[in-house]
Amino acid sequence: MVTYHIIYEDDRILAVNKPPHLSHHDDQSEHGIISLLRQQRPDGRLYGVHRLDRVTSGVLLLAKDSSTASALMRKFSKREVVKYYVAISHKKAKKKQGWVRGEMAKSRRGSYKLIPEKQSSSDCKEYAVSRYFTAGLGNLDLSSSL
């Protein structure tokens, strides 16, 4: 049984904490989080406005009607939504910060990849900007929690 928690809900949107190793959409072996959530709704309607990869956990925002979905998808595509990604490691790390910036090119199965600056061309329409910070948690023994 898949466990997820509703973080926020109102008349127009639903925010859930998607667990790792759960697909966004159905695949051959199991239902995705969208189908699981739709099964619990009286009208069965929910619209995905962005995705999280199968292995990624985090907050997934869904719309309850098509007009809200369109408005939110427009905001995501115009990069008016600020997203934060957090990765936790048990290894000690030096504190660093910086930026990853670059053009994106289409990759396999509709995804995008960051391309090296020397390979960029004028036909690239997507651009990625990510800021990162690192801070070590120390050498934690996580074996008992796995």
Side-chain angles (χ1 to χ4, degrees), residues 22-130:
L22 178 62
S23 292
H24 187 81
H25 294 292
D26 298 347
D27 62 26
Q28 298 88 356
S29 61
E30 67 180 3
H31 289 297
I33 191 157
I34 300 291
S35 290
L36 294 170
L37 290 166
R38 283 178 179 155
Q39 289 173 6
Q40 296 181 1
R41 313 233 33 105
D43 62 4
R45 284 194 212 163
L46 280 177
Y47 302 83
V49 296
H50 71 104
R51 301 178 33 120
L52 291 174
D53 291 339
R54 178 183 183 85
V55 297
T56 305
S57 64
V59 179
L60 185 64
L61 188 63
L62 302 137
K64 293 183 174 183
D65 59 74
S66 60
S67 62
T68 301
S70 294
L72 288 170
M73 289 188 327
R74 200 168 27 257
K75 292 209 173 277
F76 273 94
S77 69
K78 289 182 177 181
R79 301 192 193 293
E80 294 175 356
V81 176
V82 177
K83 299 179 279 185
Y84 292 92
Y85 297 90
V86 178
I88 298 175
S89 171
H90 70 284
K91 296 180 180 178
K92 190 172 185 175
K94 292 181 181 179
K95 290 185 179 181
K96 295 180 183 180
Q97 65 178 349
W99 294 88
V100 176
R101 297 179 185 165
E103 292 180 348
M104 304 290 286
K106 283 227 178 207
S107 186
R108 294 183 292 175
R109 291 182 237 127
S111 64
Y112 284 84
K113 64 180 178 179
L114 192 64
I115 58 172
E117 193 173 321
K118 61 185 174 236
Q119 294 179 5
S120 69
S121 65
S122 61
D123 60 336
C124 289
K125 294 182 174 63
E126 297 292 324
Y127 195 79
V129 178
S130 295

